[in-house]
Amino acid sequence: MSSHLSADHPAAQPPGPGSVEALISQARRLRGDVDAVRRDSQDDATDPQGRWQRALYDLALHQLTDLDAHLAQLRDGPAPVPRAGSLLSRVGSAEWNLLTDEAEWSGELFRILGRDPASVPLSLDELPSLVLSEDRPKLTAMVTDCLVDARPIDGEFRVVRPDGTVRTVHMMGEPVLDADGSTASMWAVLRDVSELRRSQRAVSETCDSLRIPPPPPWHGLLRFPEEGRPGLDLAAAHLPPTSATGLPSRYDGWYDACPLGAGDETLLTVGDFGRPETEAHGPAVLIGALRGLALAGTRPARLGDRLAELLRTTALPPVHDAVYCGFRPDTRTLTWAHAPGPAPLLFRGGTGRGLTGQDASSGQADATLEPGDLLLLHTGALEPAAVELLLSLAPRLTGAGSAQDGVRIVARELGGLPGRQDGCVLMARVTP
C-alpha cells in the first residue's frame, strides 16, 4: 500500500513505546476503577434506575476496552490475522487508487463487510452496493467531498453483509495528493461500531424508562417542574447575544438540575465547552454523562475530573468552565466546586455577593442557605460587566416572587448589555 501522506499532513514521528505503554496502563487502571465501582453499586436489575446505571457502566467499560485494544494495536502493529469477533478485527483499512482504479483492503475490512478475503476489493463506485439504500446518499456525499474538495471523511453508515446481517460502520479517511497537488488516491480506516451503538441505545432506552426530564433547550426560558427537586424553586435560560437578525446563535453551553446520589440532594450545574462549534448533540451527551455520574454518587469536587476522563474517549472538546453544586434540603447545605468556572452568586436580603472559600485540598466549599435565598449560577461566557450588573439587581431579584420571575429579570436586563457574549444562567430559590 502506498504511503498515506497528503500535502498538508506531513509525516510525524511515531510515539515511543514507553509513551504508548503509559497510555495503556492509564486506560487499564481507569477500566479497573469503573468495573470496581460497577460491582460496588449493587444495581437492582428490576429497578429502571438500576438498569440505567448498569447500562452506563457497561457502555463506559465497552469504550475503555476498545481504547485499550486500539492502543495495543498502536504499540504492536497490526496483527496478521485477528481472531473473528475480537476488537481488533473490527478495525480495517483501505486505499483506492484513482489513477488505476485499483483498490487495496486489509483482511480486517473484508471481515467487517462479511466478504471473502480472496475476493477482489470493491472500487469506490461499487462500494455503495453494500450500503443500506437510505444511507447511500450520505456515503456518496462524503466520498465526493473528499475527492473534489479534499475534505476529510468522518461519518457512519450501515452495511448489509451477504448473510443479511446489518452492521454500523464508522469511516474516517483523507485524500492522498500527488506531487502537483492533485488527488491521486483516497485512504480510509473503517471501524465496526455496532456494539458501541447498541450500548448507547441501551443507555438511552433505560434513561427514557426513568422518565428523567429531557435536556433543556439551548435558548429561551426553562421552568423546572415544581415537584422535581425538594426545597428548591428552579428556572434557567440561555441568553443569546443581541443580533441584527434576532436569531439565537449557536452556543455550546448547558444547564441542568438532577438528583445527586440516591437521596433528596440535588445537583445544579452550568458550563460550556472549550471551543465553539461542537457537535450539535454535544450538550445533550454531556448532560447524560453528568447525570450518570451524579446518580452514581460522584461528589461535586470530583465531577470535573471524572467528566474530563469520560470526554477523552469522545470527539467532544474538554469543558472550558463549569460550576457544580450539591444542595441538601434537610440541612439547606450547599456544596459547590468550580473548575475553573465562575463562583455562584448568592442574593439575600436585598444584597448580592459571590461565594468564596473553596478549600484547596478538597476542591469544594460549603455554605448554609436560608429560606428565600436566591442562588445564581452562570457560565464564564458572561463578561465581568454582566456579573456586575447581576449583583446590582439584588433588590429586585430578592423581591421576585419565583425563580422564573428572577430569570426573566436577568434575561431582560442582560439583553440590552452591548457586546455581551452567549451565556447560561440557572437560578435556584430556597423554599421554606
Side-chain angles (χ1 to χ4, degrees):
M1 182 176 288
S2 61
S3 175
H4 296 161
L5 300 179
S6 60
D8 57 347
H9 289 77
Q13 292 298 320
S19 59
V20 176
E21 195 66 51
L23 290 174
I24 292 174
S25 298
Q26 293 175 21
R28 291 177 178 174
R29 281 197 301 270
L30 180 57
R31 184 180 61 185
D33 291 343
V34 172
D35 191 34
V37 173
R38 181 185 63 167
R39 291 195 302 270
D40 293 341
S41 65
Q42 298 180 343
D43 299 327
D44 183 359
T46 64
D47 175 58
Q49 179 169 307
R51 291 196 301 270
W52 181 61
Q53 291 187 19
R54 178 183 297 179
L56 274 175
Y57 284 128
D58 289 344
L59 176 59
L61 286 171
H62 179 93
Q63 292 173 319
L64 289 170
T65 301
D66 220 353
L67 174 63
D68 180 25
H70 295 326
L71 289 173
Q73 189 177 27
L74 180 63
R75 178 194 60 193
D76 303 332
V81 182
R83 71 182 188 278
S86 72
L87 286 170
L88 298 185
S89 69
R90 297 205 300 268
V91 181
S93 61
E95 184 165 348
W96 290 273
N97 191 309
L98 303 182
L99 304 180
T100 64
D101 203 28
E102 295 177 344
E104 185 174 351
W105 290 7
S106 69
E108 292 86 354
L109 183 55
F110 280 98
R111 277 179 282 275
I112 289 172
L113 302 180
R115 297 180 63 83
D116 183 355
S119 64
V120 177
L122 299 184
S123 67
L124 281 176
D125 292 334
E126 297 169 326
L127 187 62
S129 66
L130 304 179
V131 180
L132 280 179
S133 57
E134 53 264 40
D135 289 357
R136 288 174 188 170
K138 182 193 304 183
L139 174 63
T140 300
M142 289 192 300
V143 172
T144 301
D145 288 344
C146 181
L147 299 181
V148 176
D149 299 326
R151 295 180 184 175
I153 288 178
D154 188 355
E156 292 183 8
F157 52 87
R158 291 164 296 172
V159 298
V160 183
R161 290 174 166 177
D163 61 4
T165 59
V166 177
R167 307 295 292 179
T168 302
V169 176
H170 190 126
M171 182 177 184
M172 299 183 68
E174 287 186 344
V176 180
L177 308 181
D178 58 20
D180 61 3
S182 301
T183 302
S185 62
M186 189 188 88
W187 71 270
V189 173
L190 295 93
R191 177 187 177 206
D192 186 339
V193 294
S194 303
E195 280 75 19
L196 178 61
R197 296 296 173 256
R198 190 175 297 116
S199 296
Q200 291 173 332
R201 284 194 299 271
V203 171
S204 177
E205 290 167 1
T206 51
C207 181
D208 290 341
S209 69
L210 279 171
R211 297 181 180 178
I212 293 178
W218 311 126
H219 58 86
L221 180 68
L222 173 71
R223 174 63 175 252
F224 290 91
E226 289 267 359
E227 68 277 13
R229 302 309 307 152
L232 292 174
D233 173 23
L234 299 167
H238 163 220
L239 308 174
T242 303
S243 66
T245 64
L247 297 174
S249 66
R250 171 70 178 277
Y251 176 56
D252 298 305
W254 79 86
Y255 48 79
D256 192 38
C258 71
L260 181 56
D264 288 338
E265 190 173 5
T266 297
L267 172 69
L268 308 172
T269 177
V270 299
D272 54 36
F273 287 106
R275 65 170 184 261
E277 302 301 326
T278 63
E279 298 181 41
H281 62 270
V285 171
L286 186 138
I287 286 178
L290 270 175
R291 290 183 172 187
L293 291 171
L295 286 172
T298 305
R299 302 301 304 162
R302 290 282 297 138
L303 274 173
D305 292 338
R306 297 294 301 276
L307 189 62
E309 292 171 358
L310 289 178
L311 290 182
R312 291 191 191 102
T313 66
T314 72
L316 295 177
V319 169
H320 177 259
D321 56 37
V323 57
Y324 312 99
C325 296
F327 177 74
R328 295 182 181 275
D330 53 345
T331 61
R332 294 196 295 272
T333 300
L334 179 77
T335 302
W336 59 277
H338 63 119
L345 303 180
L346 176 62
F347 297 89
R348 174 186 297 170
T351 62
R353 63 183 177 88
L355 293 180
T356 59
Q358 186 164 303
D359 185 85
S361 59
S362 66
Q364 64 183 29
D366 296 326
T368 300
L369 305 185
E370 300 176 359
D373 281 356
L374 284 177
L375 185 72
L376 183 62
L377 311 183
H378 64 91
T379 60
L382 297 184
E383 297 180 355
V387 176
E388 292 177 7
L389 177 58
L390 288 174
L391 293 175
S392 72
L393 297 175
R396 295 172 59 188
L397 293 178
T398 53
S402 66
Q404 188 176 32
D405 292 339
V407 169
R408 284 200 178 103
I409 293 172
V410 169
R412 183 167 54 250
E413 295 297 330
L414 290 185
L417 196 64
R420 181 184 53 76
Q421 302 174 8
D422 280 2
C424 285
V425 295
L426 186 154
M427 182 169 287
R429 179 174 175 267
V430 181
T431 57

